[in-house]
Amino acid sequence: MKSSNGALGRVVAGAVQDRNSYTQPGYPAPYGAPGYGAPEVRTMTMDDVVVRTVILLAVTGAAGAFSWTLLPDALALPVVLGAALIGLVLGLVISFKRVTNPFVISAYAVTQGLVLGIFSRIFESFYHGIVLQAVVATFGIFFGMAMLYKFKVIRNSPRFTKVIVGATIGLVGLMLVNLVAYFFSDNGIGIRAGMTGKVGWLPIVFSLVVIVVAALSFVIDFDMIEQGIRYGMPEKYAWAMGFGLLVGLIWLYMEVLRMLSYLRR
């Protein structure tokens, strides 16, 4: 069970290790199943994943509202840099250590909310109403993909996973190259445009591709969550699943915000 969202992929790997440890001699039954030595563990349900995801989104939104409305402009840059750095460290720790602690994952949501609030305020100052448009579009895409998955219009497969994972790696690689190129050129390699001013076709096409890949990656994540529930993963992994979906939603929101700013010029 692999996902283009690395967070979910490592979470499932950790759950598999837990399950294997429970099915060794002395633990002959799966999670929570009757049998001598089997630990009593409540298994994860879809409701658990939904509730945890909503909680994390609420925490992110509250932190974003704080940084947007109450944070002075003089503190915006230090807070963005500090929150982004802390969020990066927390995200890596949660992903690689397969953390399921709700407090650690909520701390990650707080850092991302602070960053999103400041960036959203900047975009809103240039393009009135763009943040509401981006929020509606982001959740519209998310729920649209959920419906397509639910009604089996789009399903996951090994080939589908390979394509999306490969595309994600390629896009992230291009973003990193573009970031480094900014040190040598004002436009980087041309796949991004500034906050204002004219925008060419390349940044628009690149942003559109990122949105499509981010949207399709949810299909893999939905499939992983569904398999995790069927597999009998413990309830604690619902927090990690919520974290994985939050990462995808933040990526999608930022890209939709950028695309809308291109279209509004």
Side-chain angles (χ1 to χ4, degrees), residues 78-158:
V79 170
V80 165
L81 295 177
L85 179 60
I86 295 173
L88 176 61
V89 173
L90 286 175
L92 293 174
V93 170
I94 293 170
S95 298
F96 286 100
K97 295 295 184 180
R98 299 155 186 166
V99 175
T100 57
N101 187 303
F103 297 104
V104 176
I105 295 175
S106 296
Y108 172 83
V110 170
T111 62
Q112 298 308 292
L114 292 174
V115 174
L116 290 179
I118 294 173
F119 272 103
S120 297
R121 182 173 69 182
I122 295 173
F123 273 97
E124 185 72 16
S125 67
F126 288 109
Y127 309 100
H128 179 68
I130 193 173
V131 170
L132 179 59
Q133 293 174 343
V135 170
V136 172
T138 298
F139 283 103
I141 293 171
F142 177 78
F143 288 118
M145 297 308 300
M147 291 299 100
L148 291 176
Y149 179 81
K150 178 179 177 60
F151 293 108
K152 300 182 179 180
V153 177
I154 300 179
R155 302 299 288 179
N156 188 28
S157 68

Side-chain angles (χ1 to χ4, degrees), residues 160-198:
F160 183 88
T161 299
K162 289 179 180 179
V163 171
I164 299 302
V165 170
T168 302
I169 294 173
L171 291 173
V172 172
L174 282 175
M175 292 178 191
L176 292 176
V177 170
N178 188 66
L179 182 62
V180 173
Y182 270 121
F183 292 102
F184 306 97
S185 171
D186 293 338
N187 297 323
I189 59 175
I191 62 174
R192 294 298 196 191
M195 195 75 69
T196 60
K198 294 183 179 180

